[in-house]
Amino acid sequence: MIKLFDKYEINDFDKLYEYTGELGAIYNKNKTYFKLWAPLAESVEVVFYGKDGYDYNSSQREIVKMSYKDRGVWEVQVNGDLDGEFYNYVIERNGIKNEAVDPYAKAVGVNGTRGMVIDLKRTNPLGWDSHKIPNLNSPLDAIIYEVHVRDFTIDNSSRVENNIKGKFKGFWFETSNEKNKINTGINHLKELGINVIQLLPCFDYKTVDERYFNDENYNWGYDPLNYNVPEGSYSTNPYFGEVRIREFKELIMKLHENGLKVVMDVVFNHTADTDESSFNKILPKYYYRQNNDGSFSNGSGCGNEIASERVMVRRFILDSLKYWVNEYKIDGFRFDLMGLHDIETMKKIRKELGENILIYGEGWKASSSPLENKDLSLKENISRFEDLQIGAFSDDIRDAIKGSVFVDEEGAFINGGHDYEETIKFGIVASTRHKDIKFDKLKYSKIPWAVEPYQVITYTSAHDNYTLWDKLSLVKPLATKEERIKMNKLAAAIVLTSQGISFIHSGDEILRTKKDIDGKLIENSYKSSDYVNKFDWCRKEKYIDVFNYYKKLIELRKNHRIFKMNTAKEINENISFLNLDNNLKNVVAYVANGNKVNDSLGKIAVIFNGNKHSIDIDLNHNKFIAVLDGKDINENGLYEIESSLVKVKPISALILKYI
């Protein structure tokens, strides 16, 4: 057992100080209650700074002592209407005083250095309480589109008004439908047809200085500062806490009204600061795991890792998630480095948030952790969630499609790799057990790690690593642009017709690239400039054929349950992979029986050819309608084939309906 303090083991400490009441600044018009959980503090005070958010360096206006109640909680009632009042806590321990932002703060000032009391009712946009939230019949209906708020509209090509480019307001701004102009922004999303937006971190993060909005002041946001407050740099005024709240709610409402559910990318595995974090100032070391020598462990690779297994840490994570759901109407959460969270915490999250909330994350960690692997929410442990909908990203299918993310020039199924057929098949069935897969031939996982398909996020690229288009360029620098476009389309066809929950990185549909001013490809653009990260909408016009292919793929998936079967049992019963001739390398083919799942496509054959040459496959049937090929998609039929010997063109997919 790792000791927290000399006197206590952590389990005893948790039993002694577990608190279930409300925490934070609890506002009403006549008085505000302040409650802080700070065991072992000698004294706690609330420091007030007034209501002038622009007075960034204002001195203390008033100090009020708090009283210790029980189970580690200090509290005080302050009379009057404190709406808009900035405040912090001062915690004294061993004669030393530390000032900290309230971890439960619902609003903050510029750069998140002071909490703010807030009347949340006045932050609701018109129509907030009654607006309609889109519904998904199943998590498997989700087609997730991952995007960064700033990237999406920061470029002039977005046609978004200058004062709101790269901000919450710019994201939902409907650009005028000028003649011969492509759709950008939210109009693009509606045209594409996806139904879930995953926003890169939108909580208050540290790195970006909210006082300045310029090209070099950029970050993805994986450096948490205040968990229960939106990021100020995305607002039109970061100085007053109500503005960012109202504008983020406005964005969520507008996305909902356009049929799009909203998932937040949350980072509970580490904080931006360690010793100087508010958590650590309030109760040193409690919120973080430690090594045997007492030093902070670093399973996140970012300097620390949150101890989710501890009672009041788990409680904080749950409270935060519930707050985003109840106050902001968030529809789901993507957990950064979910593999660092203990299994029991993730189970509790799943059970308490309700079945309509999507939950998924990265089933891995960045480095070793004091918590044993058997207790962590790693991909290999997803089966331990049994029938709970907690999804993990499938790095199996990701790397089997395009090559390892750790080796720049290594290709796979679509771009020159070898022996990835079984791993592609494994991805197609959402990493569940299947009768036709030789598990000993898989490249990565050697056993089925998912119990059901809704536990798997099927994807080939995300914000991390190179964009799909850049990876294809690195692996095949001598390939023609036309060949790389075929690879991109094939990758999309595999992802969007495979079982599990589909996920698309923003811009794959317009061949997004990330290059610096010297033309160098940037792999990890988390703090690069807008020049690197911007969404270049001119590429949509240039590669409209690719966009339309994605659009039709998405529509095909939405319309047909054969590509998103509900259970592993259905998948096993209705998908049969073909035993191909040994000479047919880099080809995967299967037959799916849609009749048994009431799909109007009926019986279909799906063939993926990763080769640079055409291949012929005998399907033992002599009449088909082509629904999808490397150039186009039409579920009513592109053309008929009257032969059992079917030709599949180079680097392409083919879906045939039996007639």
Side-chain angles (χ1 to χ4, degrees), residues 454-486:
Y454 49 68
Q455 295 176 327
V456 177
I457 307 299
T458 303
Y459 80 123
T460 193
S461 62
H463 64 276
D464 284 319
N465 313 115
Y466 292 105
T467 68
L468 175 58
W469 183 246
D470 288 346
K471 173 69 173 178
L472 297 176
S473 301
L474 284 166
V475 175
K476 288 291 182 182
L478 299 181
T480 65
K481 181 179 289 186
E482 289 71 25
E483 286 174 331
R484 292 201 297 272
I485 287 174
K486 288 179 181 178

Side-chain angles (χ1 to χ4, degrees), residues 398-416 420 444 460-462 464-479 484 487-488 491 508 511-515 521-523:
R398 177 196 70 194
D399 287 3
I401 289 173
K402 66 178 185 182
S404 171
V405 297
F406 301 110
V407 184
D408 291 357
E409 296 174 2
E410 179 183 298
F413 185 80
I414 66 171
N415 52 354
Y420 284 92
Y444 304 107
T460 193
S461 62
D464 284 319
N465 313 115
Y466 292 105
T467 68
L468 175 58
W469 183 246
D470 288 346
K471 173 69 173 178
L472 297 176
S473 301
L474 284 166
V475 175
K476 288 291 182 182
L478 299 181
R484 292 201 297 272
M487 294 172 194
N488 179 289
D508 280 354
L511 309 185
R512 186 180 184 183
T513 184
K514 292 185 179 183
K515 293 180 180 178
L521 297 179
I522 304 299
E523 178 184 17

